[in-house]
Amino acid sequence: MEVIMSFQEDETLRLYVEESLEHLSNIENDLLAIESDGADINEDLVNKVFRAAHSIKGGAGFMGLNNIKELSHKMENVLGMIREREMIPNPEIVNILLLASDTLRKLLINVGESNSMDISEHVEALVGLTSNTAPVKEKKKTTDLADIVMEGKTIFKVSKKDIYNARKKGYFIYLVELDLIRDVHEKNLTPMDFIDKIQESGNLFDCRPDIEAVGNLQTDAMPDSIPFNILFGTILEPSMVNALFDIDERFIFELKEDFSLVPVSGTAAAEPEIQEETSPEARESSAPLQEKENQASGFGMMQDSAGDQASNESKKTDMQVSAGETSLRVHVKLLDSLMNLAGELVLGRNQLLQAISLKDMHSV
């Protein structure tokens, strides 16, 4: 009874449930329309339903609503395969999605009891769809789970298939450890603000607070930090990913193909050093060329004139300014637009390369 009351009194949870039910409000008509389109899918419509499942999954992970997260995640996997044209939405597939969406709605309406409700029938049906459709070579690679381990402790268990599919799209995979006190509360933000940003720029795999790291909450002393871990994929490179968070980069890690974690701070720090080393060499290699051109045109003997001295001083000043400039101020709205455009270009390139490799002239 106490758990139900805490759910009812949580304003954040109430808003999440309202938004999630709104996502599901027209899903039946959308799924039936997807079925009628068959192999000639309406990408905008499929993306709409995919984003609905994706958003519900992201919020459920933060709220600790495990059944809602699990069911929406399995629906998302099927919709992702339809979107990638790896699965044709026939009546059987759409019926499984419809039944799952009905159960998902019931879970949200009865959110206080959702974690104890049985969803195994729907999960097995959805998993059966993705397992039966995957090529034989990929099944061995993608059917099991991988442990995401940090400092000897398993942070997440994630489907290798999800990671595999994300990498095929050109995504980098990251683990971010937010501090709910320092990075969220003190900045007047909420975890959902970060989750929304992630879902706009890529794919959220899982997220949860690290309760064990807080210690015993029954003690008088309040914790100095409350870790909140997020595992996600995005087209943003390691040197750019902190634009989503604006936190200490020591708490952002890239997940490598062997599932090891590497801090992005080392990658980001190496780039400016390369530019500083190569830039003087480029200027030195161009100096003899310029001198030869001046001599050939007869201007080498006139460098003692006042006008040329002023010109040379101006050039030196320009070079010093260029060498000293290491940052550029850009309006945040322009940065968001550039990031979105860059993401669309990368995704478009990857889809084109995949279509060419599969000789799918329709997609080309």
Side-chain angles (χ1 to χ4, degrees), residues 236-253:
L236 295 177
E237 297 181 357
S239 60
M240 298 176 60
V241 69
N242 199 21
L244 294 173
F245 304 98
D246 190 24
I247 65 173
D248 189 333
E249 288 192 344
R250 292 177 300 169
F251 299 99
I252 304 178
F253 304 86

Side-chain angles (χ1 to χ4, degrees), residues 80-121:
M81 296 187 73
I82 293 174
R83 184 175 64 172
E84 298 298 327
R85 301 180 187 274
E86 297 174 0
M87 180 186 295
I88 297 175
N90 58 36
E92 178 189 357
I93 292 171
V94 171
N95 185 57
I96 290 174
L97 286 169
L98 285 169
L99 292 172
S101 65
D102 287 342
T103 299
L104 191 56
R105 186 180 287 105
K106 292 176 184 177
L107 292 173
L108 289 162
I109 292 172
N110 301 283
V111 68
E113 296 83 23
S114 64
N115 281 347
S116 61
M117 297 171 69
D118 184 16
I119 61 169
S120 58
E121 178 183 352

Side-chain angles (χ1 to χ4, degrees), residues 7 10 12-20 23 51-70 72-73 76 104 108 111 114-115 190-199 203-209 228-230:
F7 274 116
D10 193 320
T12 304
L13 178 61
R14 185 184 65 79
L15 292 174
Y16 164 74
V17 170
E18 289 179 358
E19 290 179 2
S20 298
H23 284 309
R51 284 194 298 268
H54 190 65
S55 297
I56 293 171
K57 180 194 77 172
F62 166 62
M63 301 291 178
L65 305 173
N66 298 328
N67 277 352
I68 293 176
K69 182 183 76 170
E70 179 74 4
S72 56
H73 186 197
E76 178 190 38
L104 191 56
L108 289 162
V111 68
S114 64
N115 281 347
T190 69
M192 289 302 298
D193 292 328
F194 292 101
I195 290 172
D196 289 342
K197 282 185 180 180
I198 289 170
Q199 293 185 148
N203 183 28
L204 176 68
F205 297 113
D206 205 347
C207 61
R208 66 168 66 99
F228 181 68
N229 297 310
I230 303 176

Side-chain angles (χ1 to χ4, degrees), residues 289-319:
L289 266 174
Q290 184 63 44
E291 185 177 353
K292 288 181 181 179
E293 289 177 1
N294 288 342
Q295 289 175 352
S297 57
F299 290 111
M301 302 297 295
M302 300 175 62
Q303 292 182 353
D304 57 344
S305 66
D308 287 341
Q309 288 177 358
S311 176
N312 289 336
E313 289 298 323
S314 176
K315 289 179 181 178
K316 289 179 182 178
T317 302
D318 291 343
M319 290 172 64

Side-chain angles (χ1 to χ4, degrees), residues 24-40:
L24 295 175
S25 61
N26 204 39
I27 195 170
E28 181 177 352
N29 292 333
D30 291 340
L31 287 172
L32 292 173
I34 290 172
E35 178 188 337
S36 65
D37 290 334
D40 188 20

Side-chain angles (χ1 to χ4, degrees), residues 172-206:
F172 295 88
I173 314 300
Y174 299 103
L175 173 68
V176 175
E177 182 183 305
L178 292 177
D179 182 348
L180 291 179
I181 297 176
R182 181 185 64 248
D183 301 323
V184 181
H185 176 70
E186 292 181 359
K187 295 181 180 180
N188 294 320
L189 298 171
T190 69
M192 289 302 298
D193 292 328
F194 292 101
I195 290 172
D196 289 342
K197 282 185 180 180
I198 289 170
Q199 293 185 148
E200 289 173 2
S201 66
N203 183 28
L204 176 68
F205 297 113
D206 205 347

Side-chain angles (χ1 to χ4, degrees), residues 102-168:
D102 287 342
T103 299
L104 191 56
R105 186 180 287 105
K106 292 176 184 177
L107 292 173
L108 289 162
I109 292 172
N110 301 283
V111 68
E113 296 83 23
S114 64
N115 281 347
S116 61
M117 297 171 69
D118 184 16
I119 61 169
S120 58
E121 178 183 352
H122 303 290
V123 169
E124 289 172 6
L126 292 165
V127 170
L129 292 178
T130 55
S131 299
N132 292 335
T133 308
V136 175
K137 290 182 180 179
E138 293 185 8
K139 284 183 180 180
K140 294 180 181 179
K141 297 180 182 178
T142 61
T143 53
D144 50 342
L145 297 176
D147 291 336
I148 311 301
V149 179
M150 180 186 294
E151 297 179 352
K153 182 170 67 174
T154 299
I155 308 297
F156 294 112
K157 286 184 178 289
V158 62
S159 166
K160 289 185 178 180
K161 179 175 182 178
D162 292 345
I163 301 296
Y164 177 78
N165 288 336
R167 292 195 190 281
K168 282 204 304 183

